[in-house]
């Protein structure tokens, strides 16, 4: 089916108390693995690209390959720009066929974040594209965005409510202690605040930093109202580790298709497991409205 605007799938997740996985692709192999896992698990899914992938592949190529794969697939697939900080890149993604964009204005003071995010919401909604905003600062490394643990700023429920009301974002990322990348120390999660915000705002909540959280914690975050969870670092780790393993075991074999198929199978397995834990498995038929 055509790429979908993810608003309906995330509202269905919020309503049904499960969570849609948003997985970062880095190339065609990871894109196909994410979609194959979604088909296997009959799950709605969001494909995301970081700014590093946008620089590497270019928006036209990302849109073309994702559109093609989505057209050929029976499950609902959205294409989302992760952590858009450059307004020009955000505008290009909106123009060229992404069905959702994140505008990450979290480095700006509160009022400026609101004003900049509101501008993006207006431009995106005019094209039928959904918007994720961020309030507070999520720690860790997301490609070229690096935030130290002690520089993370937790979101308060009051700020989140005001931010959502004044910007009109379709889904909202709040900093509640998860971090991008691997956890070097155990994260200090503020699950109560997530629950309060999720109950108070009319839009679905997004959890960043899905890699490295014990599955029991993932379930608690979903129960507290997380409707979209981002997973990026685990994709890269599984991808690279599976390539190393295969090459080590088959050092004299020169068959790239076998090598890449091995990596894709490992990714499908790992992503499918996330879909089970998030509760999105079996939900492909819910909340579909197409655009793009
Ligand atoms: P991880 O890299 O920790 O999975 O976080 C991904 C993320 O939140 C992307 O925005």
């Amino acid at each position: 089916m055509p790429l979908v605007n993810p608003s309906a799938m995330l509202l269905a997740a919020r309503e049904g108390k499960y969570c849609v996985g948003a997985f970062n692709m880095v190339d065609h192999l990871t894109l196909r693995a994410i979609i194959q896992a979604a088909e296997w698990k009959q799950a709605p899914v969001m494909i995301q690209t970081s700014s590093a992938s946008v620089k590497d592949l270019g928006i036209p190529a990302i849109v073309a390959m994702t559109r093609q794969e989505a057209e050929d697939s029976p499950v609902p697939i959205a294409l989302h720009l992760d952590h858009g900080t450059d307004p020009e890149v955000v505008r290009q993604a909106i123009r060229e066929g992404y069905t959702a964009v994140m505008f990450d204005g979290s480095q700006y003071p509160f009022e400026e974040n609101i004003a900049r995010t509101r501008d993006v919401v207006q431009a995106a909604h005019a094209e039928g594209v959904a918007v994720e905003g961020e309030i507070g600062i999520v720690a860790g490394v997301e490609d070229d965005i690096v935030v130290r643990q002690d520089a993370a700023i937790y979101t308060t429920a009051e700020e989140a409510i005001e931010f959502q009301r004044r910007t009109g974002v379709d889904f909202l990322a709040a900093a509640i202690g998860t971090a991008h990348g691997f956890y070097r120390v155990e994260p200090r999660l503020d699950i109560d605040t997530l629950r309060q915000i999720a109950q108070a705002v009319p839009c679905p909540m997004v959890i960043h930093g899905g890699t490295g959280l014990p599955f029991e914690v993932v379930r608690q975050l979903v129960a507290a109202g997380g409707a979209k969870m981002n997973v990026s670092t685990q994709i890269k780790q599984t991808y690279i580790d599976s390539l190393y393993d295969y090459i080590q075991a088959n050092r004299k074999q020169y068959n790239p298709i076998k090598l890449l198929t091995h990596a894709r199978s490992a990714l499908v397995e790992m992503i499918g497991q996330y879909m089970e834990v998030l509760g999105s498995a079996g939900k492909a038929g819910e909340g579909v409205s197409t655009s793009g």
Side-chain angles (χ1 to χ4, degrees):
M1 67 175 80
L3 284 171
V4 302
N5 175 316
S7 292
M9 72 165 77
L10 294 181
L11 284 167
R14 174 183 153 105
E15 187 72 15
K17 302 203 182 323
Y18 62 91
C19 189
V20 174
F23 301 95
N24 288 57
M25 64 171 262
V26 295
D27 59 9
H28 193 238
L29 185 146
T30 43
L31 169 66
R32 283 182 67 200
I34 297 164
I35 294 178
Q36 209 174 315
E39 290 176 2
W40 173 36
K41 293 296 175 183
Q42 283 301 297
V45 73
M46 292 180 68
I47 309 277
Q48 307 193 137
T49 56
S50 69
S51 51
S53 295
V54 165
K55 267 188 221 145
D56 181 43
L57 297 167
I59 284 181
I62 292 168
V63 171
M65 68 174 119
T66 310
R67 245 187 207 152
Q68 183 63 53
E69 295 292 337
E71 288 284 350
D72 294 343
S73 178
V75 297
I77 298 165
L79 176 60
H80 180 65
L81 179 71
D82 190 24
H83 289 285
T85 49
D86 178 343
E88 184 39 47
V89 173
V90 173
R91 272 196 293 274
Q92 195 193 352
I94 293 170
R95 224 176 26 237
E96 298 207 15
Y98 277 62
T99 55
V101 292
M102 173 183 189
F103 176 67
D104 180 355
S106 59
Q107 72 277 24
Y108 297 111
F110 188 63
E111 285 298 326
E112 193 175 349
N113 187 5
I114 289 181
R116 287 174 180 264
T117 305
R118 201 170 39 210
D119 285 350
V120 171
V121 169
Q122 269 173 6
H125 283 183
E127 301 295 331
V129 171
V131 179
E132 173 180 339
E134 177 168 324
I135 171 86
I137 296 183
V138 176
V141 180
E142 178 55 32
D143 283 337
D144 39 12
I145 301 175
V146 181
V147 179
R148 286 162 46 113
Q149 189 75 40
D150 55 9
I153 298 180
Y154 284 52
T155 308
T156 66
E158 293 72 29
E159 276 171 346
I161 294 161
E162 186 180 347
F163 182 84
Q164 200 286 327
R165 183 176 54 76
R166 290 177 55 198
T167 57
V169 290
D170 302 283
F171 31 104
L172 179 64
I176 48 103
T178 56
H180 298 128
F182 293 112
Y183 293 94
R184 284 196 213 104
V185 288
E186 200 175 320
R188 195 170 51 81
L189 300 182
D190 190 353
I191 295 181
D192 282 341
T193 300
L194 172 65
R195 192 176 296 107
Q196 279 173 30
I197 301 173
Q199 281 168 3
V201 295
C203 73
M205 294 299 298
V206 182
I207 312 291
H208 281 245
T211 299
L213 294 170
F215 283 153
E216 192 35 50
V217 172
V218 172
R219 287 191 191 93
Q220 287 170 21
L221 291 166
V222 177
K228 167 182 184 261
M229 181 173 281
N230 294 359
V231 180
S232 175
T233 305
Q234 189 60 62
I235 302 254
K236 298 178 214 170
Q237 189 197 35
T238 300
Y239 192 4
I240 290 173
D241 279 354
S242 62
L243 291 175
Y244 271 124
D245 289 349
Y246 189 90
I247 288 169
Q248 248 164 17
N250 302 277
R251 187 59 197 90
K252 290 287 166 205
Q253 194 187 88
Y254 297 96
N255 185 329
I257 293 184
K258 278 194 178 164
L259 166 69
L260 298 176
T261 302
H262 175 80
R264 198 170 74 233
S265 305
L267 283 164
V268 170
E269 190 66 37
M270 180 278 285
I271 295 165
Q273 201 179 4
Y274 264 100
M275 288 167 169
E276 290 288 348
V277 175
L278 293 172
S280 62
K283 308 287 190 191
E286 294 187 9
V288 182
S289 72
T290 56
S291 80

